[in-house]
Amino acid sequence: MHLTRDEERIFDGESGWANQICMKILVRLGELFNATRLIPIASAHVSGVSYKTLGDAPADFLEALANAGAKSNANSTLNPHSIDEGYIAKKLPADLCKKQSAILEFYQRMGLKHSLTCTPYYLEKFKSGSHLAWAESSAVVYANSVLEAYTNREGGPSSLAASIIGKTPDYGIHRAENRQPQVLVNVEARLRDETEFGALGILLGRVLADKIPIIQGLENASEGSLKQLSAALASTGMVNMFYRKNAVAKTAKLERLSVEAADIKQTVEDLTTTSTEKPDLVFVGCPHCSQDEMKQIADSVGSGKVKENMEIWVCTSRCVKAKAAKYVRQLEQSGIHVLTDTCPVVTWTDKLGIRTIMTNSAKTAHYAPTLNNAETVLAPSKDCVRAAIKG
Ligand code: F3S
């Protein structure tokens, strides 16, 4: 890999251990994938924030970096962690909250904003063609496919290294030649809601592995549905982007695949592991809700109230929560908990006594049986609201 003089100096340790180790992570990664240079990034989105998923050894590494004076050199955001200060923190053991707070402090000392959301694209607009180093898989697929930005699927360490150095190795889908579609997918079913778009993602992730598809039949997809598709696609496969109809001219030589209504129905059924009508938790907000979605949920709730002994969480970012204050007030008056900074998957729902989760997110329904030890019901947002709200 060719390094500039300044990059070489960092690599040789002239600007300290923290910068050196971060440069070494990026160079090693670049060499593995035959990158020839580092390129500047418009944003780094760093995962590895939740103590539940991170554990102690990586937290020690973050502390060592912070103690060594590591400082972010890029516009950087953080993925969700395991706690909402106003609600979940009060219900969890103090030692877990303390360890989580320490991780946030390490990031803060390194200059990373406490955005704590998996939808960094609602905080800031990125130009088409921007090079990013994002680690949240749902946001990676969304960024490449909907925002038309360029990012590989980074891990926690490589996204943090990119944030500290301000650059990423130029390989994978940063390069136009690696963004060519390989499969033409024809969705023959008319997908009716965000849950079915999520189911499509789960299904395609499994069969495509890492092949880039053009997906025909997404004409009626809302921004929220494309977000569900992106999140689910990344959950079951290594695909980092998709094209929509007409995005690419030549399709004659592509492998072909068709998806029928029965495939979608089967996938939704497979993601539902219990038939309970009274789940312990109803959850909307994976990936974190947009302002539009907050409005839609508020419209579905109307003047209704949460049923007795029912728990409903709507998860979003601090930024969207502030902008959607009117809807947040309405939801909170109904008894809904509007949480920021976290989600059920990255917190300890089992310690909160939650054994069944009803959600509109195919991604959550995919992960909850293993990461939350919970049974799942997958249904559109309006049905989730109906299950939890009376009146
Ligand atoms: Fe975000 Fe949690 Fe889903 S981090 S993408 S809401 S699993």
Side-chain angles (χ1 to χ4, degrees), residues 37-98:
R37 60 178 186 150
L38 295 173
I39 50 172
I41 50 171
S43 155
H45 182 71
V46 178
S47 67
V49 190
S50 159
Y51 178 58
K52 177 191 165 190
T53 54
L54 200 61
D56 288 314
D60 291 346
F61 177 62
L62 293 175
E63 183 173 21
L65 281 177
N67 287 345
K71 287 281 176 246
S72 172
N73 269 299
N75 175 20
S76 302
T77 44
L78 285 176
N79 226 24
H81 70 143
S82 55
I83 283 165
D84 168 281
E85 284 299 337
Y87 186 62
I88 295 179
K90 294 175 185 155
K91 295 173 164 250
L92 286 172
D95 61 321
L96 292 179
C97 297
K98 203 168 150 202

Side-chain angles (χ1 to χ4, degrees), residues 80 118 136 138 285-288 343 345 363:
C118 46
E136 162 56 42
S138 63
C286 170
H288 278 175
C343 79
V345 175
K363 174 174 178 173

Side-chain angles (χ1 to χ4, degrees), residues 1-3 26-39 152 168-172 174-175:
M1 230 174 122
H2 170 77
L3 298 184
L26 298 181
V27 169
R28 182 78 190 115
L29 190 63
E31 284 174 350
L32 270 175
F33 291 98
N34 298 320
T36 56
R37 60 178 186 150
L38 295 173
I39 50 172
N152 287 321
T168 194
D170 184 21
Y171 74 94
H174 285 288
R175 302 191 61 81

Side-chain angles (χ1 to χ4, degrees), residues 10 23 27 56 93 111 122 124 177 194 218 220 236 303 355 368:
I10 296 172
M23 182 59 90
V27 169
D56 288 314
Y122 294 147
E124 188 182 344
E177 67 268 25
E194 79 282 15
L218 299 181
N220 65 334
T236 49
S303 57
R355 298 282 175 266

Side-chain angles (χ1 to χ4, degrees), residues 46-215:
V46 178
S47 67
V49 190
S50 159
Y51 178 58
K52 177 191 165 190
T53 54
L54 200 61
D56 288 314
D60 291 346
F61 177 62
L62 293 175
E63 183 173 21
L65 281 177
N67 287 345
K71 287 281 176 246
S72 172
N73 269 299
N75 175 20
S76 302
T77 44
L78 285 176
N79 226 24
H81 70 143
S82 55
I83 283 165
D84 168 281
E85 284 299 337
Y87 186 62
I88 295 179
K90 294 175 185 155
K91 295 173 164 250
L92 286 172
D95 61 321
L96 292 179
C97 297
K98 203 168 150 202
K99 291 198 172 186
Q100 182 61 75
S101 301
I103 291 169
L104 289 195
E105 193 216 311
F106 303 146
Y107 280 121
Q108 186 160 32
R109 283 167 55 202
M110 288 188 263
L112 283 101
K113 288 178 234 164
H114 281 184
S115 44
L116 303 171
T117 181
C118 46
T119 52
Y121 40 88
Y122 294 147
L123 311 187
E124 188 182 344
K125 290 208 182 325
F126 295 95
K127 283 191 203 134
S128 159
S130 302
H131 289 276
L132 317 172
W134 282 11
E136 162 56 42
S137 63
S138 63
V140 166
V141 177
Y142 189 90
N144 284 311
S145 316
V146 182
L147 308 181
E148 297 175 346
Y150 287 24
T151 176
N152 287 321
R153 189 187 300 195
E154 302 292 346
S158 67
S159 58
L160 180 58
S163 169
I164 302 294
I165 300 296
K167 295 178 182 175
T168 194
D170 184 21
Y171 74 94
I173 53 178
H174 285 288
R175 302 191 61 81
E177 67 268 25
N178 296 328
R179 298 174 69 93
Q180 297 307 309
Q182 293 142 295
V183 183
L184 184 64
V185 177
N186 185 25
V187 182
E188 290 173 12
R190 186 177 162 77
L191 304 182
R192 294 167 298 179
D193 50 54
E194 79 282 15
T195 295
E196 293 193 342
F197 280 92
L200 173 67
I202 293 286
L203 184 67
L204 290 180
R206 287 190 183 122
V207 293
L208 291 171
D210 61 355
K211 290 182 189 159
I212 298 174
I214 301 173
I215 308 177

